Amino acid sequence: MMAGSNEINANEAKKVVPLHTWILISNFKLAYNMLRRPDGTFNRELAEFLDRKVVANTVPVDGVYSFDVVDRATSLLNRIYRCAPPENESTRQLGAGIIELEKPLSTTEIVPVILFFHGGSFTHSSANSAIYDTFCRRLTGLIQGVVVSVNYRRSPEHRYPCAYEDGWEALKWVHSRSWLLSGKDSKVHVYLAGDSSGGNIAHHVAHRAATSGLKVLGNILLHPLFGGEERTESEKKLDGKYFVKLQDRDWYWRAFLPEGEDRDHPACNIFGPRGSNLAGVNFPKSLVVVAGLDLVQDWQLAYVEGLQIAGQNVKLLFLEKATIGFYFLPNNDHFYTLMEEMKNFVTPSPSPSPSPSPSPVCS
Amino acid sequence: MGPYDSSISAAAGCSSSSSSACSSSTKPPQPPDQMDHLLAGAGYKVRSNDLHQVAERLEHLENVMVKSSPVEISELVHDAVHYNPTDLASWVDSLLTELNTNPPVPVAVPTDIPDLHPFPANINVYSNNPPPLNNEFSQQVTTPLEEDVSIRLVHVLMTCAEAVQRGDLPLASLLIDDLQTLLGRVNSGCGIGKVGSFFIDALSRRIVNSPQNSVVQEELSAYENEMLYHHYYEACPYLKFAHFTANQAILEAFDGQDCVHVIDFNLMQGLQWPALIQALALRPGGPPLLRLTGIGPPSPDGRDSLREIGLKLAELARSVNVRFAFRGVAASRLEDVKSWMLQVSPKEAIAINSIMQLHKLLGPSQSIDVVLEWIHDLNPRILMVVEQDSNHNQSQFLDRFTEALYYYSTMFDSLDACTSQPEKTLAELYIQREICNVVCCEGLARVERHELLVTWRDRLRNAGFVPLHLGSNAFKQARMLLTLFSADGYCIEENEGCLTLGWHSRPLIAASAWQAVPKSSAAMGPINRPS
């Protein structure tokens, strides 16, 4: 009985998330249900109307300010988040951003730059969506560095490989900004990060970077979006239980992948039958965060395993009782665990690079 | 305490930044109008005391949607008009109403009506503090050297403005020379080169006229004014968006009314009105009797330009069988207009249309209060306000200069994409006059006193108006309008019942609709248009 099982599922989700999270994620779930059309098209107008956006703000709030830059060559918008400089005579007089753009981040210390790809299953949200603006501000304050949030082109209007191309362009753009240089070696110390589809994009951009010789110091993948044709245990077990239905996931893949393709496409199924071999590739170290109540977790765990088999440096952060979107609100343990892990991940370690064997952390 | 997992939230570090994160039952009740801080960070305004109720309604909505047929859901999506998604509770309720279901009876009926308090001061999400200028200005790929010069140019502009504010005119003059040199090294055809030159020019004029501080912009002839306005109208969508959105809202406000009276605070060439006349002509049930009162400056040369425009509009109205009457009210300044001059009749529905006019009343005489008061007393069915969404009215010159530099840079960026001439050049000159007024003028002469949407909201609320929300239908139509403009960066956004038009992520123009409520009654909630 549809209604009955729905009530059970609502109760399941309610037991494991705080009230605010339940409201927020349920709101998205219901809104998104209305936006996806059965014929595979997407109600972009209503989506843009409903999406809560915020403008950039050069006045620091909680020590972080932001500004938008449009890359003229690609028309892509990037939102830059930086920490407010310590107050002194010269910075107080003129606009915060003006001074900073003239100089590198630091000539002595290494300042991490995170190139962030927002989630939304390749379809929803923007760099200036309120939830992502808030998240990026927190991240910036956490790492005491710079976050660059990319407004990549979304499906179904722009399918594979548009998002990856936009990510690649953004990485090149970041690497070519003199005002993002830091450290005695005067380089841009960039990490890639993303949640959901953003995590998927981060992987592909990192792969391209590795084969093109562009340096990425690490990948942070927050319940990244991977999949495959096979139905895994977690997909069957958790279908519809915690805000997400398997058929929704299918819709988003159909909207993103080239028409006629299936979910074993290498964009989706990284280490699947059509996947690539990453052995010997100079792939950055990865922090992969898996939410234990995310139905996609088997694919994420398979990804971690695939990286391990290829001899890559990967750390798994498995958060058993976390649902998708746990990191939007600072009202749960998982949020704070995640913040701690991310901070450590981008803090330059005093000793030489860690051993390639993975060290999974479960909580 | 509901079934939600309170154990996790109570066990969390409860960091000082979010006291409402810990939803334990021992927390003291919030004041009734306290907005939840956590959801505010996600862009939603929900009162802390309403959280459980909103959750219940969301659950109810989901149950109803699950039970509905795909056809019903598709109808819901297609036909329903959505309003103000920031107010999550009312959005959910409106969907429940659309699906012909009553929301569950709340446990405690709120005795006060939600008041629209301004955002807590520490969350600046809707302020338009501008992005710092960057070097990404030319259309062509800039060389690193050119990029450096662009950054330098902005830096020196700011230093010069700061010197002007301090009164250090000799330094400021020197810096003007520097700026001219720098200008010679950038591409002055577009980007920072173009807008920079206008600001340098404005700064020079201000310096030259100090300490009298009495720059008065030269008057243009009526013809020149019309030329600039008309080309600005064609080159970029800002005026068309204003007219279009206003007409839609006015049309809806006049629904079912037989006698309607539109009062246009700045008639200009009356470009806004043919579309409304035609829309009224096609109205189901037939057009109303339409009166239009156009306010504008007196014509210096003996012409009665207001009357001329009125005659043209009357001709159009006649051709589509709309009973129409026009009156012109000549006034040099909006504050000279008194309501008796408008000769409103008690049985007509009134629409006040103010496209970029109200900010002119924010000068030393502060006539805004007087004007809003007589507007309020007319009890219009709609007061339509479209304004530049930026703070160009700050008392500190440097702050004003900075905001204007960013605002107009963005606007010029959007103009870069327009290629037709002479539209583009004349549009730039139109904007230049605004820039000059903001930068050079003071006192009575400075009329371009733009303020942010949030400020206008407060002011209008305090003057006894409530918002008439512009919904997803107006949003959709405005987006369609943009398709007429080839440039790819124009962006319509919904902002708590208002619509903004901007370039990429920066809103530049904000449109909002208002209705008068009797001032003596308690503050009321917003009104959603009937769908």
Side-chain angles (χ1 to χ4, degrees), chain A residues 192-205:
Chain A
L192 301 179
D195 67 316
S196 162
S197 52
N200 177 296
I201 296 171
H203 164 84
H204 288 285
V205 173

Side-chain angles (χ1 to χ4, degrees), chain A residues 28 35 72 98 123 135 146 154 196 245 261 288 341 356:
Chain A
F28 289 147
L35 300 173
R72 282 310 168 107
I98 305 282
T123 303
F135 179 79
V146 176
R154 299 163 298 185
S196 162
K245 288 210 187 87
E261 281 286 1
V288 181
E341 288 289 335

Side-chain angles (χ1 to χ4, degrees), chain A residues 75, chain B residues 229-245 271 411 413-420 423-424 427 431 477-492 501-504 509:
Chain A
S75 222
Chain B
Y229 178 87
H230 195 93
H231 288 92
Y232 177 68
Y233 181 84
E234 291 297 339
C236 43
Y238 304 108
L239 285 176
K240 285 185 179 169
F241 162 76
H243 294 170
F244 188 77
T245 307
L271 294 176
M411 189 170 270
D413 265 4
S414 77
L415 255 192
D416 265 351
C418 166
T419 48
S420 45
E423 280 85 353
K424 182 170 170 177
I431 301 170
Q477 305 257 22
R479 272 170 65 108
M480 288 200 315
L481 171 71
L482 289 186
T483 60
L484 299 174
F485 289 83
S486 55
D488 197 27
Y490 288 112
C491 189
I492 307 269
L501 168 62
W503 179 251
H504 285 286
I509 305 287

Side-chain angles (χ1 to χ4, degrees), chain B residues 9-58:
Chain B
S9 50
C14 277
S15 78
S16 55
S17 59
S18 48
S19 58
S20 54
C22 306
S23 48
S24 79
S25 53
T26 56
K27 193 160 69 83
Q30 303 279 11
D33 46 12
Q34 174 88 20
M35 290 298 169
D36 180 77
H37 171 93
L38 279 184
L39 290 178
Y44 297 101
K45 279 184 176 164
V46 180
R47 290 188 304 173
S48 299
N49 290 345
D50 286 346
L51 286 170
H52 280 92
Q53 200 169 29
V54 170
E56 271 170 48
R57 286 175 179 166
L58 273 169

